[in-house]
Amino acid sequence: MGLPLKALLRWTVLALLLAWQPLAASATATAVTEYAVKSALLLKLTRFVYLPTEQEDRPRHLCILGQNPFGDTLQQLNQASAPDQQVELVFLSATEQAPGCNYVFISQSERRRLGSILRQLDGLPLVTISDLRGFARNGGMVEFALTNEQGSQLNILINRKTASRQGITFNAQLLRLATLVNE
């Protein structure tokens, strides 16, 4: 029997922070640590989201739309995962490539096109994820939100209304950990 989601996330974050601690002296360490944690959460998230039944039989595709903010971290963590927990990482240059994806992370570089992107993805049985401020309140499904004045606490915001329109549901443990928002 596995660890509950909250304990699993706590251990993942702790392990990542310890692994990246030697970089703390450099100016870019905060960004590396932030996206290392987001990488781990993104990969873990795929285990706590239920896709429509027609999507369950195919390999899980995690797509990044826009500039890749994760560097090599996401790929390294994915490769270090157990084979049955790995996802296929796909880097998209256009929204039209998204129908083959189960999860689409919309990067900061797509901020200006966010409304258009969400309209284009509407109706597809995929999970939209981003760390853009206000993403979940503006029709995205899952937002990784930095909170507090130092930006050092990461919260998961979930828009269940948007997700349910696409046939997406979430594990109860994830819902207890997350903050639910409405459009």
Side-chain angles (χ1 to χ4, degrees):
M1 191 153 45
L3 289 172
L5 176 63
K6 200 169 198 171
L8 185 63
L9 289 175
R10 208 176 299 134
W11 282 107
T12 301
V13 170
L14 180 62
L16 283 168
L17 291 175
L18 291 174
W20 290 100
Q21 192 163 1
L23 297 176
S26 77
T28 60
T30 303
V32 171
T33 302
E34 174 188 338
Y35 278 98
V37 172
K38 288 178 181 179
S39 294
L41 285 176
L42 190 54
L43 291 172
K44 298 291 183 203
L45 179 75
T46 65
R47 295 180 15 211
F48 294 94
V49 176
Y50 305 118
L51 300 169
T53 54
E54 69 269 8
Q55 302 291 311
E56 292 176 1
D57 295 335
R58 60 183 230 200
R60 295 176 300 160
H61 290 89
L62 171 58
C63 301
I64 310 299
L65 179 61
Q67 293 177 356
N68 176 15
F70 303 102
D72 293 336
T73 307
L74 187 61
Q75 292 169 319
Q76 291 170 355
L77 288 173
N78 188 42
Q79 290 171 349
S81 299
D84 65 327
Q85 295 175 3
Q86 290 182 359
V87 296
E88 286 190 41
L89 295 173
V90 180
F91 297 92
L92 307 178
S93 58
T95 312
E96 294 77 21
Q97 299 168 314
C101 303
N102 302 106
Y103 308 89
V104 176
F105 182 89
I106 302 167
S107 72
Q108 294 278 339
S109 66
E110 304 306 301
R111 172 185 313 273
R112 293 176 192 233
R113 299 182 333 111
L114 182 59
S116 172
I117 291 169
L118 291 175
R119 282 189 297 280
Q120 290 175 347
L121 297 179
D122 190 39
L124 295 176
L126 54 80
V127 181
T128 56
I129 308 158
S130 185
D131 59 355
L132 287 165
R133 184 178 298 248
F135 180 74
R137 293 193 195 290
N138 290 305
M141 291 182 204
V142 179
E143 178 181 343
F144 295 153
L146 287 177
T147 57
N148 77 20
E149 290 180 17
Q150 296 81 23
S152 60
Q153 183 176 348
L154 185 63
N155 288 330
I156 300 170
L157 308 178
I158 295 179
N159 184 326
R160 288 178 70 187
K161 183 178 176 184
T162 299
S164 68
R165 283 196 311 257
Q166 319 299 51
I168 308 290
T169 56
F170 301 94
N171 178 287
Q173 290 178 334
L174 177 60
L175 291 174
R176 280 193 298 274
L177 180 68
T179 300
L180 303 181
V181 300
N182 295 315
E183 291 179 57

